[in-house]
């Protein structure tokens, strides 16, 4: 449906690949889907847009056309995508009704942190209250969701991790619509991102060539792994399904640090 992103979250490299946010023509998109449904018997679609609701006007038109398509094809189809948290003044309850009528089954949403300060530092443009509003609406209309979290931003401290833990616990009432939670394997400082351009501002240094192994006065890689497992434990104990793919790698990295393969001078105390 679109390419690029209208936001420039500091940790994200999307805008380094596509500097301009470009929207596809809604009628062309729906025509392509109709062809796949009728000719190729494909009934499940995954829009890999950075965020499908970057333009609400575009989303509304696309969902209206998809709803109309449902009445014209013999076989039911469904779709899933990525959303950004939008406030009630931007994405009203009727928008969620429109999305579910188009047979959207799952949205993945970058929450990143339960701390308003950290979200502001990331330039997410997200209000914590809007996160609760979004999941209230998704639960109301019955669309499944996967919240995405990022642990250990350079300005993040343990007090901010506790705010994320509080947010996760407060999301338990929406558990029926949350299919799983995804924890990224701690914050990576990637070349070309705004965060990488500001490494001096954040006093970031690197203990290896890996973008994961940076450190500053707020955390080192070992600390961020410990935070990650603490959040992971809360997610599991709160009854949410969670992606386990990062656990083995993070355990191995933690063991590498514990065995002294990173020297004390390389890891901040």
């Amino acid at each position: 449906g679109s390419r690029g992103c209208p936001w420039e979250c500091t940790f994200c490299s999307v805008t380094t690949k596509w500097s301009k946010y470009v929207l596809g023509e809604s009628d062309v998109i729906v025509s392509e889907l109709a062809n796949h449904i009728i000719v190729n018997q494909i009934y499940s679609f995954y829009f890999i847009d950075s965020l499908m609701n970057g333009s609400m006007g575009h989303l509304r038109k696309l969902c209206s056309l998809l709803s109309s398509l449902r009445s014209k094809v013999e076989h039911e189809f469904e779709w899933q995508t990525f959303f950004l948290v939008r406030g009630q003044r931007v994405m009203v309850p009727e928008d969620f009704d429109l999305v579910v009528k188009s047979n959207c089954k799952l949205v993945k949403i970058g929450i990143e942190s339960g701390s308003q300060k950290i979200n502001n530092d990331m330039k997410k443009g997200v209000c914590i209250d809007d996160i609760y509003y979004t999941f209230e609406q998704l639960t109301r209309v019955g669309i499944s969701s996967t919240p995405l979290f990022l642990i250990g931003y350079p300005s993040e401290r343990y007090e901010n991790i506790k705010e994320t833990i509080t947010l996760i616990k407060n999301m338990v009432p929406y558990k029926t619509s949350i299919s799983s939670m995804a924890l990224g394997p701690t914050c990576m400082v990637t070349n070309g991102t705004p965060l990488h351009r500001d490494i001096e501002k954040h006093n970031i240094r690197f203990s290896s060539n890996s973008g994961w192994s940076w450190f500053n006065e707020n955390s080192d890689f070992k600390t961020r792994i410990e935070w990650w497992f603490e959040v992971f434990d809360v997610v599991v104990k709160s009854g949410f399904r969670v992606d386990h793919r990062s656990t083995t790698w993070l355990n191995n990295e933690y063991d590498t640090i514990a065995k002294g393969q990173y020297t004390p001078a390389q890891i901040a105390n």
Side-chain angles (χ1 to χ4, degrees):
S2 65
R3 185 181 67 192
C5 182
W7 275 259
E8 194 174 12
C9 299
T10 58
F11 58 86
C12 183
S13 62
V14 167
T15 55
T16 67
K17 299 174 183 176
W18 298 292
S19 59
K20 187 177 180 181
Y21 183 53
V22 180
L23 299 169
E25 294 291 338
S26 299
D27 53 348
V28 174
I29 295 168
V30 173
S31 178
E32 290 178 355
L33 263 64
N35 182 70
H36 283 303
I37 294 166
I38 297 168
V39 177
N40 301 320
Q41 289 80 55
I42 297 173
Y43 308 117
S44 181
F45 301 93
Y46 186 8
F47 289 91
I48 59 171
D49 304 48
S50 296
L51 47 97
M52 197 74 163
N53 60 344
S55 165
M56 289 307 303
H58 185 264
L59 178 67
R60 288 165 187 148
K61 182 177 180 181
L62 181 62
C63 288
S64 295
L65 291 173
L66 289 172
S67 297
S68 178
L69 180 63
R70 291 182 70 190
S71 65
K72 297 175 182 177
V73 293
E74 294 183 359
H75 199 289
E76 184 65 282
F77 65 91
E78 62 184 47
W79 60 281
Q80 59 179 285
T81 191
F82 289 86
F83 268 13
L84 173 77
V85 168
R86 308 299 300 266
Q88 186 170 358
R89 290 183 297 177
V90 179
M91 192 165 181
V92 298
E94 289 77 12
D95 289 324
F96 290 91
D97 295 330
L98 189 59
V99 172
V100 76
K101 286 177 182 176
S102 68
N103 217 30
C104 176
K105 293 296 186 181
L106 172 70
V107 293
K108 298 180 180 180
I109 307 179
I111 303 301
E112 320 312 347
S113 173
S115 166
Q116 187 64 63
K117 177 189 181 302
I118 299 304
N119 270 288
N120 293 345
D121 290 350
M122 292 177 175
K123 298 187 186 294
K124 286 285 293 182
V126 169
C127 175
I128 300 301
D129 288 343
D130 293 338
I131 295 174
Y132 292 117
Y133 164 73
T134 297
F135 285 91
E136 285 172 1
Q137 293 301 314
L138 291 171
T139 302
R140 178 182 66 82
V141 299
I143 296 176
S144 294
S145 62
T146 298
L148 313 175
F149 290 89
L150 184 64
I151 307 301
Y153 189 74
S155 60
E156 196 157 24
R157 299 180 177 181
Y158 184 62
E159 63 197 59
N160 307 120
I161 296 297
K162 290 192 288 186
E163 291 177 295
T164 295
I165 288 172
T166 296
L167 174 67
I168 291 169
K169 290 178 178 179
N170 289 343
M171 293 177 77
V172 169
Y174 316 127
K175 189 160 54 178
T176 55
S177 67
I178 296 176
S179 62
S180 65
M181 286 192 174
L183 307 181
T186 78
C187 181
M188 182 180 187
V189 179
T190 306
N191 284 336
T193 62
L195 181 57
H196 188 269
R197 294 195 294 268
D198 285 339
I199 57 175
E200 291 186 6
K201 171 185 173 182
H202 292 285
N203 195 28
I204 290 173
R205 291 168 289 168
F206 294 88
S207 57
S208 75
N209 292 328
S210 169
W212 307 107
S213 62
W214 60 269
F215 62 93
N216 65 7
E217 67 277 8
N218 293 321
S219 71
D220 55 31
F221 194 21
K222 179 174 178 287
T223 298
R224 293 190 297 276
I225 294 173
E226 291 170 349
W227 289 348
W228 189 95
F229 277 103
E230 183 169 350
V231 174
F232 179 88
D233 188 55
V234 171
V235 170
V236 172
K237 288 182 177 178
S238 297
F240 295 106
R241 291 182 61 250
V242 63
D243 189 336
H244 288 71
R245 284 177 292 180
S246 296
T247 56
T248 300
W249 180 75
L250 287 173
N251 267 318
N252 290 339
E253 290 296 300
Y254 192 88
D255 288 343
T256 298
I257 296 169
K259 290 175 183 176
Q261 295 185 25
Y262 295 115
T263 67
Q266 293 173 316
I267 294 294
N269 294 321

